[in-house]
Amino acid sequence: MKRLAIASGILLLAVTAAAWSRGGWALLTIRNSPDYLLAGQRNDLTFEIRGHGRAPMRGIHTAIEARNGTKRVTGRSWETSDEGVYRASLEIPSAGEWRVSISTNFGASRAQTLPWRAVAPGERVEPLSDAERGRRLFAARGCVSCHVHRA
């Protein structure tokens, strides 16, 4: 029985090491989650990537895209000089509800926002309620990676 426990422990360590060497997982956290996107203009996002939710990661390839029904646009993303911090620029072509995704080459790590409303420049918009802003931040900050909220 003791040998089985030791063998099981060694197997668990080997599987964990194999998973780590093949990429593991990373947490993407959008730092500047906007209330709205501007249609026809450049929208910039700043985000962090942390390995296993803790250590800032350098050298990660990122890609950003936004979708609205069958419409799809891609943007440009790059690593900044701050450890684990990246930026992306995305031009949304038209008003509407757009879902933004940021993917990486590190395992299956990906962040997807709740839909953001894109508005025409100069369009009057109502501010988000505190509850709605909190719901969006819960998703954009990556909390949904580990936590569940009934709402």
Side-chain angles (χ1 to χ4, degrees), residues 11-45:
L11 180 62
L12 179 61
L13 286 174
V15 168
T16 303
W20 177 258
S21 69
R22 294 195 178 163
W25 63 276
L27 178 66
L28 280 80
T29 302
I30 299 173
R31 283 186 171 181
N32 63 331
S33 181
D35 288 349
Y36 302 96
L37 299 173
L38 292 176
Q41 294 187 14
R42 185 174 130 175
N43 295 272
D44 293 330
L45 295 174

Side-chain angles (χ1 to χ4, degrees), residues 44-143:
D44 293 330
L45 295 174
T46 302
F47 57 98
E48 294 176 64
I49 302 175
R50 291 175 300 195
H52 294 257
R54 294 191 178 118
M57 299 182 70
R58 288 196 173 278
I60 301 297
H61 174 74
T62 60
I64 186 167
E65 73 172 21
R67 291 183 182 264
N68 173 332
T70 59
K71 297 177 191 171
R72 177 181 171 267
V73 295
T74 58
R76 190 173 81 80
S77 59
W78 62 94
E79 186 173 1
T80 71
S81 59
D82 294 335
E83 186 175 24
V85 178
Y86 297 77
R87 292 205 48 151
S89 179
L90 191 62
E91 189 169 319
I92 303 298
S94 59
E97 298 290 317
W98 291 84
R99 188 177 294 263
V100 175
S101 301
I102 303 169
S103 59
T104 76
N105 66 339
F106 187 75
S109 300
R110 183 172 185 234
Q112 187 165 346
T113 68
L114 295 173
W116 277 323
R117 181 173 163 212
V119 297
E123 180 180 337
R124 181 175 155 77
V125 292
E126 293 295 319
L128 296 177
S129 68
D130 288 344
E132 180 60 19
R133 184 173 287 114
R135 186 173 84 91
R136 290 170 182 251
L137 285 172
F138 191 76
R141 291 291 190 160
C143 302

